[in-house]
Amino acid sequence: MKRIELFSCPMDVATGRETVELVKNRVEARRFTQHVVVNVAKVVHMQHDVVLAASIRACDIINIDGMGVVWAARLLGVEVPERVAGVDLFDDLLAMAAERGLPVFLLGATPEVVQATAEIVAQRYHRLIVAGYHHGYFWDDEHAIVEKIQASGARLLFVAITSPKKENFINRWRDQLGVDFVMGVGGTFDVVAGKVRRAPVWMQRSGLEWLYRVIQEPGRMWRRYLTTNLQFAGLVFKAVLRTPPSQTR
């Protein structure tokens, strides 16, 4: 897996299939793996959030999730084969865990959403072992949650909490979690539980998934996406100016 660096952010150039295979091999070898996906918003926030930047840099696998980052990389001469969407990778890793008998723990979202997610994925993957689950409102006693995860016997942990909380929580407790693999999955549990609808495939491929989120939650999302998208465009423009013409596409 080739690692590059764009906008002071390390990224791994890989397909979803390659990522699942690598995770499987590392988990079966009992090699701890801290995973993260990066998108436009995360790259922008890393520019001024040193704690988030450190948490991302500590990861063993850093997938590119977000067509804006994919397009920017290609513009700057880096061949990125595809976007590795966190929600798709979550499904693929659950299928792998079910096949290999690897227990999972689900952490995050509201009590109702995480319970619904646990029930749905257990039905979707009949051999999946859900070792435990817990909602994402536990900040008054993080240590107790870490102990619960450790005691569950889970091998894979999925954390559905907003950024930068999830990245920093994972990095802060990585040595005490007792799992072999941990991944932040953002709002994935909301999608699985049916609380939030995912954009149609054509919008995902066109890089318009963010617009679909804005349409669903305009009051909460429009300012966030407008700000981060404009800031990212500025980063790309500066990078293009610094890159020799022969390297850009």
Side-chain angles (χ1 to χ4, degrees), residues 3 29 48 64 72 104 127 160 166 239:
R3 176 156 291 192
H48 54 79
I64 301 174
V104 305
R127 296 167 59 189
K166 66 177 178 296

Side-chain angles (χ1 to χ4, degrees), residues 76-148:
L76 296 170
V78 180
E79 290 295 338
V80 177
E82 65 182 27
R83 167 198 179 200
V84 181
V87 63
D88 295 329
L89 187 59
F90 172 70
D91 271 338
D92 292 340
L93 289 172
L94 288 184
M96 183 273 292
E99 179 184 350
R100 313 299 293 189
L102 301 169
V104 305
F105 195 104
L106 308 176
L107 175 66
T110 65
E112 297 78 16
V113 166
V114 70
Q115 180 178 346
T117 300
E119 294 171 353
I120 290 168
V121 298
Q123 294 171 2
R124 184 178 298 170
Y125 306 103
H126 299 298
R127 296 167 59 189
L128 182 67
I129 304 168
V130 179
Y133 60 86
H134 195 279
H135 62 76
Y137 301 90
F138 55 82
W139 302 106
D140 56 336
D141 195 356
E142 291 184 35
H143 190 262
I145 296 303
V146 171
E147 288 185 335
K148 181 176 181 179

Side-chain angles (χ1 to χ4, degrees), residues 1-21:
M1 191 175 290
K2 177 184 177 183
R3 176 156 291 192
I4 62 171
E5 183 155 326
L6 293 175
F7 317 112
S8 301
C9 176
M11 307 174 191
D12 293 317
V13 178
T15 65
R17 181 175 297 180
E18 290 169 341
T19 302
V20 172
E21 185 67 17

Side-chain angles (χ1 to χ4, degrees), residues 16-186:
R17 181 175 297 180
E18 290 169 341
T19 302
V20 172
E21 185 67 17
L22 177 59
V23 171
K24 182 190 75 173
N25 292 339
R26 289 179 66 98
V27 169
E28 292 188 335
R30 304 307 296 256
R31 293 178 62 194
F32 176 76
T33 303
Q34 183 174 344
H35 177 280
V36 71
V37 295
V38 292
N39 54 23
V40 165
K42 213 168 290 185
V43 169
V44 167
H45 293 147
M46 282 181 66
Q47 307 306 306
H48 54 79
D49 188 334
V50 295
V51 178
L52 173 62
S55 296
I56 290 174
R57 286 187 170 276
C59 291
D60 304 285
I61 302 175
I62 305 173
N63 282 129
I64 301 174
D65 178 0
M67 284 307 300
V69 181
V70 172
W71 289 334
R74 291 172 179 170
L75 179 64
L76 296 170
V78 180
E79 290 295 338
V80 177
E82 65 182 27
R83 167 198 179 200
V84 181
V87 63
D88 295 329
L89 187 59
F90 172 70
D91 271 338
D92 292 340
L93 289 172
L94 288 184
M96 183 273 292
E99 179 184 350
R100 313 299 293 189
L102 301 169
V104 305
F105 195 104
L106 308 176
L107 175 66
T110 65
E112 297 78 16
V113 166
V114 70
Q115 180 178 346
T117 300
E119 294 171 353
I120 290 168
V121 298
Q123 294 171 2
R124 184 178 298 170
Y125 306 103
H126 299 298
R127 296 167 59 189
L128 182 67
I129 304 168
V130 179
Y133 60 86
H134 195 279
H135 62 76
Y137 301 90
F138 55 82
W139 302 106
D140 56 336
D141 195 356
E142 291 184 35
H143 190 262
I145 296 303
V146 171
E147 288 185 335
K148 181 176 181 179
I149 295 167
Q150 188 180 65
S152 72
R155 301 281 298 278
L156 289 84
L157 168 64
F158 298 96
V159 183
I161 299 170
T162 57
S163 293
K165 283 187 175 181
K166 66 177 178 296
E167 290 84 6
N168 296 338
F169 169 81
I170 291 168
N171 197 42
R172 184 163 56 247
W173 294 102
R174 55 177 288 162
D175 295 329
Q176 288 79 43
L177 293 168
V179 298
D180 298 315
F181 173 83
V182 56
M183 171 188 179
V185 294

